[in-house]
């Protein structure tokens, strides 16, 4: 069967086999209508079976029956296949969808195609009972579309891939020094100017190579509404990220008054065409605050998520140290230093969002200088930020770069395309433990979950994103979903055996994953410099 993520409990039923055929009907109980639509659009399309409506939840005949069982916890499901009857019950609609995803896996790799390859066949199923549910409420994937833009169709495709792996939070990194990707009607230059750069560094920033053509693009507000609705149908929450006060050169290029005009000629800035961390950061002025309040007002209309991500990472403060305006604000607020100024800036938006019923989340640098109550932390610089946040009573999403940054290289071999960072193999990701050691049970409850991050500086198209993301996202999904043994005790050999089946599903989905034996010739990038780091990654 090769189920991924592995379910908590699976047993065989006496009938020995199940089947789907042209007579199979799909019965959707109250609250499961969306899952029924998804099944017809995916499994129905792949099998060629009509999955017609008909019959009652308690009736007889060849049927798939979907239902909500309030006795089950949220996102949990029970799948029973017995002869021509298949029942999927969930604690809520999300649980029903996760059960339907498992049903799709049981049908075999051809159930992941877009049209039938054997249209006249009946589809066999193992007669099993599967009972399952997630460990974490936040099972996330962050996709950086600022460095390399991914068109809307690619984003929708990744939402489907997430749902197939029972991931439920899409962290949408929409702005950075190299591009602004979301339409803000109040400030049209953010996309007119800020979404395009003149050229792009090819490879790591130390590479001498450039792609000498404009790169860019953005999502209209209707595109965003479509993405959010598409995600919601798959029980995925979209958390937008607008980076402040650093990683903001694209915004400053569009509206120079947002920058530190008393230090640099911001009118001469363009959208950044290189990688790394730009020194051009937002000015800590009332004008900047009002501008970004206008941005977030439109953003809240587009994204109904509880959390809004404000970045807050890697804010170089040299310009603030040189800026009379910034220094005057530090004195006016009675702050100790520039770290305190960043905390004030982030705290302003934490309060602003809280008044509107939302919660701020940011990278772990937002802890420096103090963090507003109710704000949450994405711990990326190892475990330390997450430990500090949880001990201080803040909710945490664990995404340490040393473990789950999927832009890091997958092998030490010379053929790895544009090798970045430490080697993080499929097994390394499988042995990642999201809850840090040393937390009390009460502190550990602040760990909302975990997230894999895909930064796209050296990923010029969706095939490169696929290569870096898969198959490691499958291992991450099992870590995020299941209650696995301690890292050293996990059955990686068993996971590999299940992956042998799962690779065929990824093939059917058209995923350009890294093969176990190494990259295909067309996946290599000979002569394009990366930045490999040797040895084990530091434990922080």
């Amino acid at each position: 069967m090769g189920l991924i993520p592995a379910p908590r409990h699976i047993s065989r039923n006496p009938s020995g086999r199940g089947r789907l055929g042209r007579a199979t009907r799909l019965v959707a109980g109250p609250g499961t209508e969306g899952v029924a639509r998804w099944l017809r659009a995916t499994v129905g399309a792949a099998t060629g079976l009509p999955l017609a409506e008909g019959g009652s939840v308690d009736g007889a005949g060849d049927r798939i029956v979907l239902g909500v069982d309030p006795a089950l916890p949220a996102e949990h499901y029970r799948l029973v296949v017995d002869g021509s009857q298949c029942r999927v019950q969930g604690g809520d609609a999300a649980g029903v969808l996760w059960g339907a995803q498992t049903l799709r896996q049981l049908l075999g790799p051809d159930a992941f195609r877009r049209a039938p390859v054997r249209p006249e066949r009946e589809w066999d199923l193992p007669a099993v009972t599967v009972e399952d549910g997630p460990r974490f409420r936040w099972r996330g994937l962050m996709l950086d579309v600022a460095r390399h833009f991914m068109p809307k169709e690619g984003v929708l495709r990744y939402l489907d891939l997430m749902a197939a792996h029972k991931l439920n939070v899409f962290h949408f990194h929409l702005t950075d020094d190299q591009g602004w990707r979301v339409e803000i009607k109040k400030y049209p230059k953010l996309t007119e100017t800020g979404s395009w750069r003149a050229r792009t560094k090819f490879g790591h920033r130390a590479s001498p190579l450039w792609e000498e053509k404009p790169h860019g693009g953005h999502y209209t507000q209707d595109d965003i509404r479509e993405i959010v609705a598409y995600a919601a149908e798959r029980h995925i929450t979209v958390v937008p990220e607008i980076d402040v006060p650093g990683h903001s050169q694209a915004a400053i290029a569009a509206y120079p008054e947002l920058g530190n005009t008393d230090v640099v000629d911001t009118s001469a800035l363009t959208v950044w065409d290189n990688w790394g961390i730009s020194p051009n950061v937002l000015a800590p002025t009332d004008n900047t605050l009002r501008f970004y309040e206008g941005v977030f007002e439109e953003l809240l209309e587009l994204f109904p998520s509880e959390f809004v991500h404000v970045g807050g990472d890697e804010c170089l403060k040299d310009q603030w140290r040189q800026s009379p305006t910034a220094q005057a604000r530090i004195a006016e607020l009675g702050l100790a230093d520039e770290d305190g100024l960043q905390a004030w800036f982030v705290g302003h938006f934490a309060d602003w969002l809280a008044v509107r019923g939302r919660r701020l989340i940011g990278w772990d640098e937002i802890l420096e200088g103090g963090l507003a109550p109710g704000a949450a932390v994405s711990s990326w610089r190892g475990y330390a930020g997450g430990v500090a946040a949880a001990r201080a009573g803040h909710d945490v999403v664990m995404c340490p770069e040393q473990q789950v940054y999927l832009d890091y290289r997958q092998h030490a071999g010379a053929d790895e395309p544009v090798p970045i960072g430490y080697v993080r193999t499929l097994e390394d990701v499988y042995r990642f433990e999201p809850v840090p050691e040393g937390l009390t049970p009460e502190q550990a409850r602040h760990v909302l979950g975990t997230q894999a991050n895909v930064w796209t500086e050296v990923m010029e198209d969706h095939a490169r994103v696929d290569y870096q993301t898969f198959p490691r996202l499958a291992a991450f999904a099992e870590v995020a979903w299941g209650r696995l043994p301690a890292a050293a005790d996990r059955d990686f050999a068993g996971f590999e055996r299940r992956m042998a089946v799962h690779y065929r599903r990824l093939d059917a989905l058209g995923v350009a994953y890294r093969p176990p034996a190494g990259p295909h010739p067309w996946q290599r990038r000979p002569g394009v410099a990366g930045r490999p780091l040797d040895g084990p990654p530091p434990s922080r």
Side-chain angles (χ1 to χ4, degrees):
M1 290 180 283
L3 297 180
I4 289 179
R8 190 176 307 173
H9 175 78
I10 184 168
S11 60
R12 294 279 183 174
N13 293 328
S15 63
R17 64 183 290 273
R19 70 175 185 277
L20 299 182
R22 300 198 68 79
T24 300
R25 292 186 172 271
L26 179 55
V27 183
T32 70
E33 296 84 358
V35 181
R37 286 194 299 272
W38 177 84
L39 270 168
R40 289 193 180 93
T42 55
V43 173
T47 60
L49 302 179
L51 299 181
E53 295 182 29
S56 67
V57 171
D58 298 320
D62 294 358
R63 300 180 313 145
I64 300 172
V65 180
L66 310 178
V68 173
D69 180 355
L72 292 171
E75 293 199 88
H76 286 58
Y77 70 88
R78 182 187 305 108
L79 166 64
V80 181
V81 179
D82 199 359
S84 61
Q85 293 261 335
C86 176
R87 289 183 174 270
V88 184
Q89 294 177 302
D92 53 11
V96 178
L97 177 65
W98 306 140
Q101 293 284 5
T102 299
L103 172 63
R104 188 188 189 189
Q105 289 196 15
L106 291 175
L107 285 166
D110 283 349
F112 289 78
R113 298 185 180 276
R114 294 190 180 185
V117 293
R118 296 173 184 85
E120 301 306 319
R121 67 184 277 193
E122 283 196 335
W123 291 73
D124 288 334
L125 285 163
V128 293
T129 295
V130 182
E131 295 176 288
D132 203 8
R135 177 185 182 190
F136 294 111
R137 60 171 275 203
W138 186 302
R139 307 181 302 279
L141 173 69
M142 189 228 69
L143 181 63
D144 166 20
V145 297
R147 273 50 175 271
H148 278 100
F149 178 65
M150 181 177 284
K152 180 192 67 179
E153 289 302 317
V155 174
L156 299 178
R157 173 176 175 265
Y158 259 82
L159 292 170
D160 281 329
L161 291 171
M162 287 179 64
H165 292 83
K166 300 184 174 73
L167 299 174
N168 70 339
V169 178
F170 179 56
H171 176 167
F172 207 5
H173 185 81
L174 289 164
T175 72
D176 218 295
D177 297 311
Q178 295 86 0
W180 184 286
R181 304 295 179 215
V182 56
E183 177 189 25
I184 302 297
K185 292 185 177 180
K186 188 173 183 179
Y187 306 119
K189 290 182 183 177
L190 286 172
T191 48
E192 290 171 1
T193 298
S195 69
W196 290 93
R197 58 179 181 261
R199 62 175 186 169
T200 298
K201 174 67 71 172
F202 194 44
H204 183 260
R205 62 180 176 272
S207 167
L209 304 175
W210 294 87
E211 186 178 42
E212 297 285 354
K213 68 177 184 180
H215 176 86
H218 74 275
Y219 310 103
T220 68
Q221 292 199 354
D222 281 347
D223 289 337
I224 294 294
R225 291 185 182 97
E226 180 182 357
I227 288 167
V228 169
Y230 194 86
E233 288 178 352
R234 288 147 183 79
H235 296 278
I236 295 171
T237 299
V238 183
V239 175
E241 181 181 353
I242 302 293
D243 221 326
V244 296
H247 288 287
S248 297
Q249 185 165 324
I252 297 169
Y255 291 91
E257 65 272 20
L258 296 175
N260 295 284
T261 57
D262 54 353
V263 177
V264 296
D265 178 10
T266 56
S267 65
L269 294 178
T270 60
V271 177
W272 210 25
D273 59 10
N274 211 332
W275 312 131
I277 309 171
S278 169
N280 294 294
V281 303
L282 298 174
T285 64
D286 290 343
N287 175 67
T288 301
L289 296 180
R290 301 293 87 77
F291 183 97
Y292 274 87
E293 287 171 1
V295 169
F296 284 119
E297 283 172 356
E298 295 194 24
L299 211 70
L300 297 189
E301 292 294 321
L302 299 171
F303 296 94
S305 55
E306 174 186 1
F307 289 98
V308 174
H309 208 291
V310 301
D313 62 316
E314 299 179 327
C315 179
L316 300 181
K317 300 178 177 69
D318 293 342
Q319 290 184 358
W320 285 357
R321 294 186 184 97
Q322 301 168 33
S323 165
T325 301
Q327 293 303 310
R329 172 116 308 173
I330 290 173
E332 171 198 337
L333 297 170
L335 302 174
D337 54 20
E338 291 76 19
D339 285 344
L341 187 59
Q342 176 168 337
W344 165 80
F345 195 108
V346 172
H348 172 86
F349 287 103
D351 294 340
W352 188 91
L353 288 166
V355 167
R356 290 155 180 82
R358 306 298 186 92
R359 294 178 65 187
L360 178 144
I361 186 169
W363 303 112
D364 55 56
E365 286 95 330
I366 67 175
L367 288 164
E368 298 165 5
L371 183 58
V377 171
S378 300
S379 185
W380 75 274
R381 294 180 299 176
Y383 287 100
V387 171
R391 286 176 175 168
H394 294 285
D395 288 338
V396 180
V397 175
M398 295 303 304
C399 46
E401 61 173 323
Q402 303 91 337
Q403 307 294 333
V404 289
Y405 267 35
L406 301 187
D407 50 314
Y408 278 24
R409 59 192 174 134
Q410 302 181 67
H411 193 274
D415 287 336
E416 285 304 303
V418 200
I420 297 295
Y422 296 99
V423 172
R424 295 286 82 189
T425 65
L426 183 67
E427 182 173 1
D428 291 329
V429 175
Y430 190 67
R431 297 192 187 280
F432 163 58
E433 172 49 51
V435 178
E437 295 180 356
L439 295 181
T440 67
E442 177 62 30
Q443 292 164 349
R445 280 192 281 273
H446 283 290
V447 179
L448 300 177
T450 184
Q451 178 175 287
N453 293 342
V454 180
W455 300 103
T456 63
E457 286 92 337
V458 300
M459 302 181 208
E460 71 277 8
D461 55 32
H462 86 269
R464 281 285 291 124
V465 175
D466 280 5
Y467 180 91
Q468 293 298 134
T469 303
F470 288 97
R472 292 183 295 181
L473 192 68
F476 172 80
E478 186 150 314
V479 169
W481 177 271
R483 287 172 169 79
L484 301 181
D489 299 330
R490 293 176 188 173
D491 182 10
F492 180 68
F495 176 76
E496 282 190 306
R497 286 192 293 272
R498 287 183 285 118
M499 278 301 300
V501 178
H502 199 62
Y503 285 122
R504 294 170 58 205
R505 299 184 189 117
L506 297 178
D507 288 334
L509 288 166
V511 177
Y513 59 85
R514 182 191 188 275
H520 295 297
W522 59 267
Q523 292 174 319
R524 300 168 188 162
R525 296 292 185 274
V528 182
R531 182 177 173 264
L533 299 174
D534 294 325
S539 176
R540 290 185 287 177

